Amino acid sequence: MGEKVVAGRFDLSDRQHYRDKLRRCLTGLERLLDEKRFDRPKNLMGLEIELNLAGGDGMPKMLNAQVLERIASRDFQTELAMFNLEVNIAPHRLGGRVFDRLAEELTTSLAYAHRKAGELDAGIVMIGILPTLDRDDLVSSNLSDVDRYALLNEQIVAARGEDFVLDIDGVERLTCTSKSIAPEAACTSVQLHLQVTPGRFADVWNAAQAVAAAQIAVGANSPFLFGRELWRESRPPLFQQSTDTRPPELQAQGVRPRTWFGERWISSAYDLFEENVRFFPALLPISDEEDPLQVLDEGGVPKLAELVLHNGTVYRWNRPVYGIADGVPHLRVENRVLPAGPTVTDVIANAAFYYGLVRALAEESRPVWTRLPFEAAAANFDAACRHGIDARLEWPRRGRYSGTTQVDAVSLVRDELLPLAEAGLDAWGVERADRDLYLGVIDERCRRRVNGATWQAATFHRALETGLSRDAALAATTRRYSELMRMGEPVHTWPVGLPEPVPLG
């Protein structure tokens, strides 16, 4: 939610006016769709990565403002907490050697940021959840010094009316409370954007929802929080619980959480924007001067500012995005499923797998979402977060058979999804060298049953066996992770454990 907002108080009239403006924005969006005013296909994709700042000891460093001042690039921005940054890569056209170009740009950007952070005895760590984070790090005083974060925290806390409860039962169990949304800052993610026409939006979004579990299974990289080993990908439960505006009574009534997988396949982008308005009260009822319907009547393109702002406070794992570029409106699917890291190669491999897969699935004659119940897709997502690469998923039977069956995630990916991703990348016009290199990374993770989460957990347990305390083992794992991340070889090649100490003399 990158809107510039000014901290302030809202009264009853603000909320009523905002609700009215949201409805006018929805009507404006409906008219734009009916009048076919959206951009033509450009095959554009974009990439954002949230990052952590940590010292040479592996511990978080609350220095994002100072590091950003030194980086001095608009490609880097603040994120929720002072140990977070975000890097944005400019949109690229899918095709050719796009993934190699992305890898080169990302490697250059991150190396530069790391050098600048080094001037403050800090470094960049690209990981789903920094294992060394402590509860004392995730407090409101460590939120970034930006009005919109303070205001968002204030409004979510007010809506909930009591402490947030974190309760994640995985390999171990974590239960604790928080007085702010600061624990959400532990979740550092990759966001993959794909610009699509309105006519293709529903198919691409449905495809993205169907494959979210497979993305997590091969890409999980967040097994630790506050010293506990939890789910293989602990970001989704943490994100949901740390932003949950519902006290227990509203949860018991079935009120939807703001961090949400969804509950149905869709037939139009409008469905998602309309649900967001219908189901979720405004958190930031800040109104724009624009009358979107008047702008449309005069032949202009409305910003739909209230709808865009509201949409940014509903945290779908695949989010609809409305934007304007060069005076022309467009729609994007924003895939928010993946954790950051481990390496640039791993991030680009995850991206290639996703973009190829959604292209192929969106064009199938018998789409997967017509054969897989939505509830099964949601259960798959949960299973993949819990078990990572060892998850079992429900998937439609192959061939002419009807119904679904349970299958190992690695078997599903290697036997069915990787060939689809290959065909999808071919359809985008991606060159074979890029396609084979990056999909080969996914295949090797599956063959070896290794991803960032399995490496972190195995290395942590190996460190415990050497006699280190839990905290020391987590710090040592983080330092080793950072070292291997910077060497750049994909995570399936990383040796498990800590390096042997070099003897003196």
Side-chain angles (χ1 to χ4, degrees):
M1 195 273 298
E3 294 296 313
K4 297 286 185 187
V5 299
V6 178
R9 301 285 174 184
F10 304 116
D11 59 28
L12 300 180
S13 63
D14 291 326
R15 295 187 180 279
Q16 184 59 54
H17 181 61
Y18 188 80
R19 184 179 286 117
D20 293 342
K21 284 295 297 285
L22 272 178
R23 289 176 181 146
R24 291 182 73 78
C25 286
L26 262 184
T27 302
L29 177 66
E30 192 171 29
R31 279 181 54 179
L32 284 166
L33 291 166
D34 290 344
E35 294 167 13
K36 298 182 168 46
R37 297 276 299 276
F38 284 88
D39 202 2
R40 294 183 295 279
K42 287 188 176 174
N43 296 353
L44 285 178
M45 55 83 66
L47 180 67
E48 304 168 49
I49 306 177
E50 295 162 352
L51 307 163
N52 294 276
L53 291 170
D57 58 359
M59 307 306 287
K61 297 277 254 185
M62 306 295 167
L63 291 169
N64 65 357
Q66 298 93 315
V67 171
L68 283 169
E69 191 176 331
R70 282 167 169 75
I71 292 173
S73 166
R74 284 184 295 181
D75 292 344
F76 286 84
Q77 301 173 0
T78 54
E79 253 301 325
L80 183 59
M82 291 180 183
F83 63 89
N84 297 144
L85 298 176
E86 181 176 271
V87 61
N88 296 282
I89 299 298
H92 284 63
R93 192 178 299 276
L94 272 162
R97 299 302 300 271
V98 63
F99 294 114
D100 259 1
R101 290 199 307 275
L102 282 169
E104 187 176 338
E105 287 179 34
L106 199 47
T107 299
T108 301
S109 291
L110 292 178
Y112 173 71
H114 184 66
R115 285 198 306 275
K116 290 299 180 182
E119 296 172 7
L120 295 164
D121 297 320
I124 302 292
V125 185
M126 189 165 57
I127 193 168
I129 296 175
L130 193 66
T132 50
L133 285 168
D134 185 79
R135 287 179 61 185
D136 291 341
D137 297 317
L138 292 166
V139 292
S140 56
S141 58
N142 283 336
L143 294 177
S144 294
D145 187 18
V146 178
D147 280 343
R148 70 175 182 270
Y149 298 134
L151 186 55
L152 188 64
N153 178 60
E154 179 185 297
Q155 293 300 304
I156 291 179
V157 168
R160 183 172 176 87
E162 57 190 75
D163 287 356
F164 298 88
V165 176
L166 304 183
D167 187 350
I168 305 173
D169 194 4
V171 177
E172 299 172 300
R173 186 169 187 177
L174 171 72
T175 55
C176 62
T177 60
S178 172
K179 295 188 178 302
S180 75
I181 65 168
E184 184 214 317
C187 306
T188 40
S189 310
V190 171
Q191 283 111 46
L192 301 173
H193 290 256
L194 180 60
Q195 184 177 326
V196 292
T197 59
R200 288 176 55 83
F201 185 97
D203 288 349
V204 170
W205 188 86
N206 289 339
Q209 290 285 98
V211 302
Q215 287 182 273
I216 288 286
V218 298
N221 196 30
S222 315
F224 296 108
L225 177 66
F226 298 162
R228 297 282 194 278
E229 185 179 352
L230 302 173
W231 293 9
R232 284 299 180 247
E233 186 51 51
S234 304
R235 284 167 39 258
L238 172 59
F239 203 115
Q240 178 174 323
Q241 292 176 20
S242 61
T243 59
D244 200 341
T245 55
R246 308 168 305 162
E249 295 80 7
L250 292 185
Q251 294 179 37
Q253 291 175 36
V255 172
R256 296 159 182 85
R258 294 191 87 96
T259 301
W260 196 37
F261 188 80
E263 61 191 19
R264 63 177 176 129
W265 306 117
I266 63 165
S267 57
S268 165
Y270 180 84
D271 294 350
L272 299 176
F273 288 102
E274 189 276 333
E275 280 185 351
N276 286 355
V277 172
R278 179 157 46 101
F279 292 152
F280 300 102
L283 285 178
L284 301 172
I286 301 165
S287 295
D288 191 86
E289 294 297 316
E290 175 189 83
D291 181 339
L293 302 185
Q294 183 180 338
V295 171
L296 278 168
D297 290 341
E298 294 169 354
V301 176
K303 294 179 291 183
L304 306 184
E306 291 81 7
L307 190 64
V308 169
L309 177 59
H310 183 65
N311 195 53
T313 65
V314 180
Y315 305 104
R316 293 178 183 268
W317 295 109
N318 285 292
R319 176 189 274 168
V321 179
Y322 170 88
I324 302 172
D326 301 322
V328 183
H330 66 262
L331 293 172
R332 303 194 304 274
V333 174
E334 181 190 12
N335 178 259
R336 303 159 50 80
V337 166
L338 290 163
T343 65
V344 169
T345 299
D346 288 301
V347 168
I348 301 301
N350 290 340
F353 181 54
Y354 169 75
Y355 286 117
L357 201 44
V358 293
R359 172 72 186 255
L361 288 175
E363 294 181 350
E364 280 194 317
S365 57
R366 291 183 67 215
V368 64
W369 56 91
T370 65
R371 298 177 288 136
L372 182 71
F374 192 92
E375 297 75 15
N380 284 346
F381 183 69
D382 189 70
C385 291
R386 286 178 183 272
H387 304 296
I389 209 154
D390 295 321
R392 287 182 60 80
L393 308 176
E394 185 176 342
W395 199 253
R397 289 190 174 90
R398 298 177 76 171
R400 287 180 285 177
Y401 301 105
S402 60
T404 61
T405 186
Q406 288 279 320
V407 60
D408 283 336
V410 292
S411 300
L412 175 64
V413 171
R414 296 190 81 191
D415 297 344
E416 193 166 344
L417 301 186
L418 275 171
L420 282 168
E422 189 174 298
L425 292 179
D426 288 345
W428 287 120
V430 171
E431 286 194 20
R432 178 177 292 187
D434 261 24
R435 181 199 75 187
D436 292 349
L437 171 63
Y438 291 108
L439 293 186
V441 170
I442 304 297
D443 187 48
E444 280 297 299
R445 281 193 220 149
C446 290
R447 190 176 71 80
R448 304 184 193 199
R449 288 186 175 259
V450 169
N451 57 23
T454 65
W455 183 90
Q456 287 186 58
T459 296
F460 167 71
H461 287 290
R462 192 77 61 85
L464 287 180
E465 288 166 9
T466 68
L468 293 180
S469 69
R470 288 180 70 95
D471 287 349
L474 286 168
T477 298
T478 304
R479 292 194 298 272
R480 181 62 171 157
Y481 177 103
S482 302
E483 179 186 331
L484 292 168
M485 180 197 79
R486 268 178 266 291
M487 291 169 65
E489 292 299 314
V491 72
H492 68 262
T493 68
W494 291 8
V496 169
L498 305 176
E500 294 292 327
V502 178
L504 300 174

